[in-house]
Amino acid sequence: SQQGEEDPQALSIQEGENATMNCSYKTSINNLQWYRQNSGRGLVHLILIRSNEREKHSGRLRVTLDTSKKSSSLLITASRAADTASYFCAIPPSSGGSNYKLTFGKGTLLTVNP
Amino acid sequence: DAGVIQSPRHEVTEMGQEVTLRCKPISGHNSLFWYRQTMMRGLELLIYFNNNVPIDDSGMPEDRFSAKMPNASFSTLKIQPSEPRDSAVYFCASSLMGSAYNEQFFGPGTRLTVL
């Protein structure tokens, strides 16, 4: 299984600004998922983008996927202090029977200052 | 919907002691995952159950770790004997498997400290 690699490792912005995080991977994928983890809590699924999709929106979240560059980005618009969390991309294997086996990156720690 | 429930939330124990972590998945979900999270290694999948049967335990670090799922609503992860390097946050997650697009729902985690 492959691991997505998030970039940057940490990001600090002011409330109201936009935050962009990136995820790069190495081999072909069926889909890519983004999760959020607030401090001391479990991960929460944010959005899933399929390999045949280029962009997807959910509220203030916008996810893009460029399979030619093997990368995805997560954009949070008009950030709030409550968006402070770690954000992970997760990738299932593209083939074989182990599609349950999500591999998580190390995450991007986003801090939104009020 | 109560979500995935884990207990205890915090556990402090001494080296050599047995530790049992518990998980109640979301009702109706047929898959359950145990993960371990540390600063050094990030989030690691330890074991995966489907319909109460262990499918993949390749992530279990060693024989000191064991996991069971006696029924669809309960799972345990046991460490015996525990060691300081087992200190981590252990997460249980559940999912409804049916396609390649499976969202996992995580519990709040158990923070384990082995002294």
Side-chain angles (χ1 to χ4, degrees):
Chain A
S1 58
Q2 65 171 315
Q3 182 176 28
E5 192 170 313
E6 293 92 346
D7 171 67
Q9 290 187 358
L11 179 61
S12 182
I13 60 174
Q14 295 300 121
E15 208 164 23
E17 294 180 340
N18 295 341
T20 300
M21 289 155 273
N22 303 296
C23 173
S24 58
Y25 56 93
K26 294 196 167 84
T27 62
S28 62
I29 61 172
N30 286 326
N31 70 81
L32 186 147
Q33 303 177 29
W34 285 91
Y35 286 76
R36 181 189 73 226
Q37 184 180 30
N38 292 90
S39 179
R41 308 287 292 273
L43 279 73
V44 174
H45 182 267
L46 293 177
I47 196 164
L48 180 152
I49 187 164
R50 302 179 184 185
S51 59
N52 61 354
E53 296 177 312
R54 291 296 167 260
E55 189 170 308
K56 202 162 181 180
H57 296 254
S58 177
R60 294 184 295 112
L61 305 181
R62 180 170 76 98
V63 169
T64 61
L65 180 64
D66 187 334
T67 53
S68 65
K69 294 182 179 177
K70 293 186 170 54
S71 69
S72 174
S73 67
L74 170 66
L75 169 68
I76 304 174
T77 60
S79 64
R80 306 167 181 167
D83 295 328
T84 294
S86 290
Y87 292 82
F88 297 85
C89 64
I91 302 172
S94 58
S95 61
S98 57
N99 59 24
Y100 58 86
K101 204 164 188 173
L102 289 180
T103 303
F104 290 84
K106 293 289 178 67
T108 292
L109 176 59
L110 172 66
T111 302
V112 181
N113 301 300
Chain B
D1 187 351
V4 175
I5 298 172
Q6 290 187 250
S7 64
R9 292 295 309 277
H10 301 273
E11 176 82 26
V12 180
T13 190
E14 292 188 346
M15 183 173 64
Q17 295 297 307
E18 176 182 302
V19 174
T20 299
L21 311 182
R22 297 173 177 80
C23 175
K24 177 178 168 53
I26 291 173
S27 176
H29 281 187
N30 58 5
S31 295
L32 184 139
F33 309 81
W34 282 100
Y35 289 90
R36 178 173 67 177
Q37 186 178 40
T38 61
M39 289 292 292
M40 290 292 292
R41 301 172 69 93
L43 197 65
E44 304 172 279
L45 176 65
L46 299 178
I47 188 169
Y48 158 60
F49 290 88
N50 184 251
N51 292 324
N52 311 339
V53 176
I55 303 299
D56 183 351
D57 65 355
S58 59
M60 296 286 262
E62 46 197 274
D63 291 345
R64 297 184 298 107
F65 285 69
S66 62
K68 293 182 181 179
M69 192 163 185
N71 56 62
S73 59
F74 184 65
S75 176
T76 59
L77 177 68
K78 184 180 292 187
I79 308 173
Q80 180 184 22
S82 58
E83 296 182 3
R85 61 191 167 119
D86 301 331
S87 297
V89 181
Y90 290 81
F91 289 101
C92 175
S94 70
S95 179
L96 181 60
M97 302 296 289
S99 72
Y101 313 117
N102 297 299
E103 171 186 353
Q104 294 186 16
F105 294 80
F106 282 74
T110 294
R111 182 174 295 276
L112 174 64
T113 303
V114 183
L115 303 174

